Amino acid sequence: MQLTAASTCGTRGPLNDRINGSGKNLEQAKKIQAEARRLDTRGTLPRGGPGGVDFTTLELRYVGGLGKGKGMQYSMRADQMPNPDENPGFGGEARMQLSSDALFTWLALTPEKFWVNLNPDEPDRVMDAEFGKTDAGRVLLEADLEMKHDFSEALNPHKHAGAKRYWDTAPRQNGMPCFPGVRMWIEPKPAQVREQDGGIYILDAPLKVSTQWLDVEWGTRFHRVQGPDRRAEARH
């Protein structure tokens, strides 16, 4: 669902009105939704009413009007909530602020600063010092940690039949299953954009999850990574 496009008047416009009126939490959003339904006796509200937008899916899709002395134009899109009366969307203001901060972080910093690192052997190299001061850096770090949690969850033999088969058939040493060292990370794939009349339409901005299996020597207290040998990719 295309939410709306802003004009050149700073951050004013129907997009901000909808976002700022979405409520900060589920309780507020339900009250706003109920009041809107009570007043809208003719059913003139857009589909879903004020709670019809899933702000967790908010994405920037267009940027234009960039120039000295000009206001920036932008357009966002978001999915619709499947049941806005019982579970309305909320938190639009915080999501929009985060998206805005991320955009200006990407404009202000150079690409080599956009990395995070959760290698337990490198506790002093978590992220670039400047990038670490931003919400965008925090989001990337949280995403990296969540990916590792998802990987561990997928290997839980008590919850997934495939994981149980893996552990049951894995090679063993002294009765214990062997698991290879693995490194996982997220990186952007080339974005697809279209330029028109001085603006940029973002058609797709895919991410790639890469996995690198490592040769590890476990003979001593400290293990040594011998180097990468195979790489697999999962695309999103």
Side-chain angles (χ1 to χ4, degrees):
M1 177 180 71
Q2 192 74 22
L3 199 53
T4 189
S7 69
T8 57
C9 301
T11 57
R12 299 191 297 271
L15 171 61
N16 275 57
D17 292 341
R18 171 65 72 92
I19 286 171
N20 294 335
S22 64
K24 297 182 182 300
N25 51 52
L26 182 59
E27 182 180 2
Q28 288 184 7
K30 284 185 175 181
K31 290 180 179 179
I32 294 171
Q33 182 77 356
E35 182 64 10
R37 292 298 190 204
R38 186 183 69 82
L39 296 175
D40 185 35
T41 57
R42 299 177 60 185
T44 57
L45 282 174
R47 181 181 175 187
V53 179
D54 182 359
F55 291 104
T56 65
T57 64
L58 196 66
E59 294 180 340
L60 181 68
R61 285 303 185 190
Y62 170 81
V63 179
L66 298 176
K68 187 175 181 180
K70 296 182 178 180
M72 184 178 72
Q73 295 178 318
Y74 58 92
S75 178
M76 312 288 289
R77 74 163 301 278
D79 294 340
Q80 294 177 329
M81 295 297 292
N83 187 3
D85 288 330
E86 295 297 325
N87 186 31
F90 63 91
E93 184 177 5
R95 290 282 178 177
M96 187 63 180
Q97 186 64 55
L98 183 60
S99 296
S100 175
D101 289 348
L103 172 62
F104 287 105
T105 296
W106 254 251
L107 293 174
L109 300 181
T110 48
E112 73 273 6
K113 298 181 182 296
F114 304 141
W115 58 269
V116 296
N117 175 43
L118 285 176
N119 187 337
D121 294 330
E122 297 179 311
D124 297 326
R125 202 176 74 89
V126 176
M127 68 172 68
D128 177 85
E130 290 185 70
F131 192 43
K133 299 175 183 177
T134 68
D135 277 332
R138 174 183 58 80
V139 170
L140 257 66
L141 195 65
E142 290 175 349
D144 192 61
L145 180 61
E146 185 174 352
M147 175 190 63
K148 291 171 171 60
H149 286 169
D150 290 342
F151 180 71
S152 298
E153 168 67 19
L155 290 174
N156 188 337
H158 301 295
K159 294 184 178 181
H160 306 288
K164 186 176 188 307
R165 286 194 300 271
Y166 172 83
W167 290 112
D168 288 344
T169 58
R172 279 170 162 69
Q173 185 173 4
N174 298 324
M176 296 294 294
C178 300
F179 187 78
V182 61
R183 172 177 173 248
M184 304 181 70
W185 70 98
I186 306 170
E187 56 188 334
K189 296 179 65 179
Q192 298 180 29
V193 302
R194 176 169 60 88
E195 184 178 1
Q196 180 177 329
D197 299 328
I200 296 177
Y201 292 86
I202 304 170
L203 306 179
D204 192 19
L207 298 175
K208 177 177 67 177
V209 177
S210 295
T211 302
Q212 192 175 64
W213 300 100
L214 305 173
D215 288 333
V216 181
E217 290 187 354
W218 300 99
T220 62
R221 178 183 175 189
F222 300 99
H223 64 271
R224 177 172 65 86
V225 176
Q226 292 183 327
D229 59 349
R230 294 182 302 278
R231 178 178 296 186
E233 296 179 357
R235 293 175 174 82
H236 296 271

